[in-house]
Amino acid sequence: CRAFQSFFFEYDTPRIVLIRSRKVGLVNRAVQLAILAYVIGWVFLWEKGYQETDSVVSSVTTKVKGVALTNTSTLGARIWDVADYVIPPQEKNTVFVMTNAIFTLNQRQGHCPELPDDKTECKEKSDCVPGYVSSHSNGIQTGECVSYNDSIKTCEVFAWCPVEDDYHIPRPAFLQEAENFTLLVKNNIWYPKFNFSKRNILPMINATYLKNCIYDSQTDPFCPIFRLGKIVEAAGQNFQEMAVEGGVMALQINWDCNLDRAASHCVPKYSFRRLDSKDSGHTVSPGYNFRFAKYYKDSEGNESRTLIKAYGIRFDIIVFGKAGKFDVIPTMINIGSGLALFGVATVLCDIVVLHCMKKKYYYREKKYKYVEDFELVSISES
């Protein structure tokens, strides 16, 4: 008792003694019920906290089909098949379909005038610098000033001649019929933790159905053959507009599987979106394009080429997903975490009652009783 007295007399400050409050008990039980609802409803039912999970391992192969006819002054009448417009023939999880192009025929290495711009136009020889080349040059300047046409002179270059003129992109797109081409996507997935594998050509799909079906989210949601125009349309875009300058589309395959159910319930879900920006804030260098050339040699060994600047749509097949299956360890961990939350119910209750409620001062008076030191001494002596 003397030690108790000396402790409180040494510090001349008020002391706090806790008292029980019926109101606080009711709030405490309400907080506990909320925690219980969170653990059962969110952790176990919605998030499936009783399951072990694994991420998908995937492989994708693609095949495009379709034929188009063009008739232009440059190439004449010509049939375009898969070997012409799918470049390159195979890529990893990606396929590029050419929809527009600028052709520069019969190029040979030699001397010719450069394309006119503010850095290549000239009036006399001194305006051209021998050996000069910039990142936008088609060749190396020879130092001569030559006629580009009747009204313009440009610096001469040593290059593949005639140089490419890509100032004017064909409108409408060169291969408008690409909208009706089809894309077959074959996707195999594997969840190594559960040794579970499947593919997007489901067991119910036979050869007859596969030859005639086209994916439709309502009537044929599991058909792995997609019409290119429908892919772009499903992403909220216009195919013919996109075909002019090209773009990048995502074909997403989602494999979210609950392996506590039958394997037949594990099925792919397809979605589509445009990946490259197409809005008023991104007007510089829009779309998607690249160049390639086809080389030839005549009987005398002279080399020439056809340069093609290809615009088109690149389709990226993106596979993602998660599988879950019951396991004792995550179940016990989440149960333990839920029980631990009940320990903080009292703390949460105090915070709510003493700081957030309208009658917080009333509850503070009921919860705490301030006792001076001499009262505590009297109590201890008695």
Side-chain angles (χ1 to χ4, degrees), residues 44-86:
F44 281 95
L45 296 181
W46 184 261
E47 291 292 330
K48 297 181 175 59
Y50 55 87
Q51 290 184 333
E52 180 70 28
T53 60
D54 193 14
S55 297
V56 68
V57 177
S58 168
S59 69
V60 173
T61 58
T62 61
K63 183 182 292 185
V64 180
K65 288 187 176 181
V67 176
L69 170 66
T70 62
N71 192 353
T72 64
S73 58
T74 303
L75 300 176
R78 179 169 176 175
I79 290 291
W80 295 79
D81 61 15
V82 176
D84 296 312
Y85 58 74
V86 176

Coordinates of all heavy atoms in Angstrom, one line a residue, residues 44-86:
F44 N -14.3 -14.8 -47.7 CA -14.5 -16.2 -48.0 C -15.4 -16.4 -49.2 O -15.1 -17.2 -50.1 CB -15.1 -17.0 -46.8 CG -14.0 -17.4 -45.8 CD1 -13.7 -16.5 -44.7 CD2 -13.2 -18.5 -46.0 CE1 -12.7 -16.9 -43.8 CE2 -12.2 -18.8 -45.1 CZ -12.0 -18.0 -44.0
L45 N -16.6 -15.7 -49.2 CA -17.5 -15.9 -50.3 C -17.1 -15.2 -51.6 O -17.1 -15.8 -52.7 CB -18.9 -15.5 -49.9 CG -19.5 -16.3 -48.7 CD1 -20.9 -15.7 -48.4 CD2 -19.5 -17.8 -49.0
W46 N -16.7 -13.9 -51.5 CA -16.4 -13.1 -52.7 C -15.0 -13.4 -53.2 O -14.7 -13.7 -54.3 CB -16.6 -11.6 -52.4 CG -16.4 -10.8 -53.7 CD1 -15.3 -10.1 -54.0 CD2 -17.3 -10.6 -54.8 NE1 -15.4 -9.4 -55.2 CE2 -16.7 -9.7 -55.7 CE3 -18.6 -11.1 -55.0 CZ2 -17.3 -9.3 -56.9 CZ3 -19.2 -10.7 -56.2 CH2 -18.6 -9.8 -57.1
E47 N -14.0 -13.3 -52.3 CA -12.6 -13.4 -52.7 C -12.1 -14.9 -52.6 O -11.0 -15.2 -52.9 CB -11.7 -12.6 -51.8 CG -11.9 -11.1 -52.0 CD -11.3 -10.6 -53.4 OE1 -10.4 -11.3 -53.9 OE2 -11.9 -9.7 -53.9
K48 N -13.0 -15.8 -52.1 CA -12.7 -17.2 -52.0 C -11.3 -17.4 -51.3 O -10.4 -18.0 -51.8 CB -12.6 -17.8 -53.4 CG -13.9 -17.8 -54.1 CD -13.8 -18.5 -55.5 CE -15.2 -18.6 -56.2 NZ -15.8 -17.3 -56.4
G49 N -11.3 -16.9 -50.0 CA -10.1 -17.0 -49.2 C -9.7 -18.4 -48.8 O -8.7 -18.6 -48.2
Y50 N -10.6 -19.3 -49.1 CA -10.3 -20.7 -48.7 C -9.6 -21.5 -49.8 O -9.3 -22.6 -49.7 CB -11.6 -21.4 -48.4 CG -12.7 -21.4 -49.5 CD1 -12.6 -22.3 -50.6 CD2 -13.6 -20.4 -49.6 CE1 -13.5 -22.2 -51.6 CE2 -14.5 -20.3 -50.6 CZ -14.5 -21.2 -51.6 OH -15.4 -21.2 -52.7
Q51 N -9.2 -20.8 -50.9 CA -8.6 -21.4 -52.0 C -7.1 -21.0 -52.2 O -6.7 -19.9 -51.9 CB -9.3 -21.1 -53.3 CG -10.7 -21.7 -53.5 CD -11.3 -21.3 -54.8 OE1 -11.0 -20.3 -55.5 NE2 -12.2 -22.2 -55.3
E52 N -6.3 -22.0 -52.7 CA -5.0 -21.7 -53.2 C -5.1 -21.3 -54.6 O -6.0 -21.8 -55.4 CB -4.1 -23.0 -53.1 CG -2.7 -22.8 -53.5 CD -1.9 -22.0 -52.6 OE1 -2.2 -21.9 -51.4 OE2 -0.9 -21.4 -53.1
T53 N -4.3 -20.3 -55.1 CA -4.5 -19.8 -56.4 C -3.2 -20.0 -57.2 O -2.1 -20.2 -56.7 CB -4.8 -18.3 -56.4 OG1 -3.8 -17.6 -55.7 CG2 -6.2 -18.1 -55.7
D54 N -3.4 -19.9 -58.5 CA -2.2 -20.0 -59.5 C -2.5 -19.2 -60.7 O -3.6 -19.0 -61.1 CB -2.0 -21.5 -59.9 CG -0.7 -21.7 -60.6 OD1 0.2 -20.9 -60.5 OD2 -0.5 -22.8 -61.2
S55 N -1.4 -18.6 -61.3 CA -1.5 -17.8 -62.5 C -1.4 -18.7 -63.8 O -0.7 -19.7 -63.8 CB -0.5 -16.7 -62.5 OG -0.7 -15.9 -61.4
V56 N -2.0 -18.2 -64.9 CA -2.1 -19.0 -66.1 C -0.7 -19.0 -66.8 O 0.0 -18.0 -66.9 CB -3.2 -18.5 -67.0 CG1 -2.9 -17.1 -67.5 CG2 -3.5 -19.5 -68.1
V57 N -0.4 -20.1 -67.5 CA 0.7 -20.2 -68.4 C 0.0 -20.5 -69.8 O -0.8 -21.4 -69.9 CB 1.7 -21.4 -68.0 CG1 2.8 -21.5 -69.1 CG2 2.3 -21.1 -66.7
S58 N 0.4 -19.8 -70.8 CA -0.4 -19.8 -72.0 C 0.5 -19.8 -73.3 O 1.7 -19.4 -73.3 CB -1.3 -18.6 -72.1 OG -1.8 -18.4 -73.4
S59 N 0.0 -20.4 -74.3 CA 0.6 -20.4 -75.7 C -0.5 -20.0 -76.7 O -1.6 -20.5 -76.5 CB 1.3 -21.7 -76.0 OG 0.4 -22.7 -76.3
V60 N -0.1 -19.3 -77.7 CA -1.1 -18.8 -78.7 C -0.6 -19.0 -80.1 O 0.6 -18.7 -80.4 CB -1.5 -17.3 -78.5 CG1 -2.3 -16.8 -79.6 CG2 -2.1 -17.1 -77.2
T61 N -1.4 -19.5 -81.0 CA -1.1 -19.6 -82.4 C -2.3 -19.0 -83.2 O -3.4 -19.0 -82.7 CB -0.8 -21.0 -82.9 OG1 -2.0 -21.8 -82.7 CG2 0.4 -21.6 -82.3
T62 N -2.0 -18.3 -84.3 CA -3.0 -17.7 -85.1 C -3.0 -18.1 -86.6 O -2.0 -18.5 -87.1 CB -2.9 -16.1 -85.0 OG1 -1.6 -15.7 -85.5 CG2 -3.0 -15.7 -83.5
K63 N -4.1 -17.9 -87.2 CA -4.2 -18.1 -88.6 C -5.3 -17.2 -89.2 O -6.4 -17.1 -88.8 CB -4.6 -19.6 -88.9 CG -4.6 -19.9 -90.4 CD -5.1 -21.4 -90.6 CE -4.1 -22.4 -90.1 NZ -4.5 -23.7 -90.4
V64 N -4.8 -16.4 -90.3 CA -5.7 -15.5 -90.9 C -6.2 -16.0 -92.3 O -5.4 -16.7 -93.0 CB -5.1 -14.1 -91.1 CG1 -6.0 -13.1 -91.8 CG2 -4.6 -13.5 -89.8
K65 N -7.4 -15.8 -92.6 CA -7.9 -16.2 -93.9 C -8.7 -15.1 -94.6 O -9.4 -14.3 -93.9 CB -8.8 -17.5 -93.8 CG -8.0 -18.7 -93.5 CD -8.9 -20.0 -93.5 CE -8.2 -21.2 -93.3 NZ -9.0 -22.4 -93.4
G66 N -8.6 -15.0 -95.9 CA -9.4 -14.0 -96.6 C -8.6 -13.6 -97.9 O -7.4 -13.7 -98.0
V67 N -9.4 -13.2 -98.9 CA -8.8 -12.8 -100.2 C -9.5 -11.5 -100.6 O -10.7 -11.3 -100.4 CB -9.1 -13.9 -101.3 CG1 -8.6 -13.4 -102.7 CG2 -8.4 -15.2 -101.0
A68 N -8.6 -10.6 -101.2 CA -9.1 -9.3 -101.6 C -8.7 -9.0 -103.1 O -7.6 -9.5 -103.5 CB -8.6 -8.2 -100.7
L69 N -9.5 -8.2 -103.8 CA -9.1 -7.8 -105.2 C -8.9 -6.3 -105.2 O -9.7 -5.6 -104.7 CB -10.3 -8.2 -106.1 CG -10.2 -7.6 -107.5 CD1 -9.0 -8.2 -108.3 CD2 -11.5 -7.9 -108.3
T70 N -7.8 -5.9 -105.8 CA -7.6 -4.4 -106.0 C -7.3 -4.2 -107.5 O -6.8 -5.1 -108.2 CB -6.4 -4.0 -105.1 OG1 -5.2 -4.6 -105.6 CG2 -6.6 -4.2 -103.7
N71 N -7.6 -3.0 -107.9 CA -7.3 -2.5 -109.3 C -6.9 -1.1 -109.3 O -7.8 -0.2 -109.1 CB -8.6 -2.8 -110.1 CG -8.3 -2.6 -111.6 OD1 -7.2 -2.3 -112.0 ND2 -9.3 -2.9 -112.4
T72 N -5.6 -0.8 -109.3 CA -5.1 0.5 -109.3 C -4.2 0.8 -110.5 O -3.8 -0.1 -111.2 CB -4.2 0.7 -108.0 OG1 -3.1 -0.2 -108.1 CG2 -5.0 0.4 -106.7
S73 N -4.0 2.1 -110.7 CA -3.1 2.5 -111.9 C -1.7 2.1 -111.7 O -1.0 1.8 -112.6 CB -3.2 4.0 -112.0 OG -2.8 4.7 -110.8
T74 N -1.3 1.9 -110.4 CA 0.1 1.5 -110.1 C 0.3 0.0 -110.4 O 1.3 -0.4 -111.0 CB 0.5 1.9 -108.7 OG1 0.3 3.3 -108.5 CG2 1.9 1.5 -108.4
L75 N -0.6 -0.8 -109.8 CA -0.4 -2.3 -109.9 C -1.3 -3.0 -110.8 O -1.1 -4.2 -111.1 CB -0.6 -2.8 -108.5 CG 0.4 -2.3 -107.4 CD1 0.0 -2.9 -106.0 CD2 1.8 -2.7 -107.7
G76 N -2.3 -2.3 -111.3 CA -3.3 -3.0 -112.1 C -4.2 -3.9 -111.3 O -4.3 -3.8 -110.0
A77 N -4.9 -4.8 -111.9 CA -5.7 -5.8 -111.2 C -4.9 -6.8 -110.5 O -4.0 -7.4 -111.1 CB -6.7 -6.5 -112.2
R78 N -5.1 -7.0 -109.2 CA -4.3 -7.9 -108.4 C -5.1 -8.6 -107.3 O -5.9 -7.9 -106.7 CB -3.1 -7.2 -107.9 CG -2.2 -8.1 -107.0 CD -0.9 -7.4 -106.7 NE -0.1 -8.3 -105.8 CZ 1.2 -8.0 -105.4 NH1 1.7 -6.9 -105.9 NH2 1.8 -8.8 -104.6
I79 N -4.9 -9.9 -107.1 CA -5.5 -10.6 -106.0 C -4.5 -10.6 -104.8 O -3.3 -10.9 -105.0 CB -5.8 -12.1 -106.4 CG1 -7.0 -12.1 -107.4 CG2 -6.1 -12.9 -105.2 CD1 -8.3 -11.7 -106.7
W80 N -5.0 -10.3 -103.6 CA -4.2 -10.4 -102.4 C -4.7 -11.5 -101.5 O -5.8 -11.6 -101.2 CB -4.3 -9.0 -101.7 CG -3.8 -7.9 -102.4 CD1 -4.4 -7.2 -103.5 CD2 -2.5 -7.3 -102.2 NE1 -3.6 -6.2 -103.9 CE2 -2.4 -6.2 -103.2 CE3 -1.4 -7.5 -101.4 CZ2 -1.3 -5.4 -103.3 CZ3 -0.3 -6.7 -101.4 CH2 -0.2 -5.6 -102.4
D81 N -3.7 -12.4 -101.1 CA -4.1 -13.5 -100.2 C -3.2 -13.4 -99.0 O -2.5 -12.4 -98.8 CB -3.9 -14.8 -100.9 CG -2.5 -15.1 -101.3 OD1 -1.6 -14.4 -100.9 OD2 -2.3 -16.1 -102.1
V82 N -3.3 -14.4 -98.1 CA -2.6 -14.3 -96.8 C -1.2 -14.1 -96.9 O -0.6 -13.3 -96.1 CB -2.9 -15.6 -96.0 CG1 -2.2 -15.6 -94.7 CG2 -4.4 -15.8 -95.8
A83 N -0.5 -14.7 -97.9 CA 0.9 -14.5 -98.0 C 1.3 -13.1 -98.4 O 2.5 -12.7 -98.1 CB 1.5 -15.4 -99.1
D84 N 0.4 -12.3 -98.8 CA 0.7 -10.9 -99.2 C 0.5 -9.9 -98.1 O 1.2 -8.9 -97.9 CB -0.2 -10.5 -100.4 CG 0.1 -11.3 -101.7 OD1 1.3 -11.4 -102.0 OD2 -0.9 -11.7 -102.3
Y85 N -0.6 -10.1 -97.3 CA -0.9 -9.1 -96.3 C -0.6 -9.4 -94.8 O -0.8 -8.6 -94.0 CB -2.4 -8.7 -96.5 CG -3.4 -9.8 -96.3 CD1 -3.7 -10.3 -95.1 CD2 -4.1 -10.3 -97.4 CE1 -4.6 -11.3 -95.0 CE2 -5.0 -11.3 -97.3 CZ -5.3 -11.8 -96.1 OH -6.2 -12.8 -96.0
V86 N -0.3 -10.7 -94.5 CA 0.1 -11.0 -93.2 C 1.6 -11.0 -93.1 O 2.3 -11.8 -93.7 CB -0.4 -12.4 -92.7 CG1 0.1 -12.8 -91.4 CG2 -1.9 -12.4 -92.8

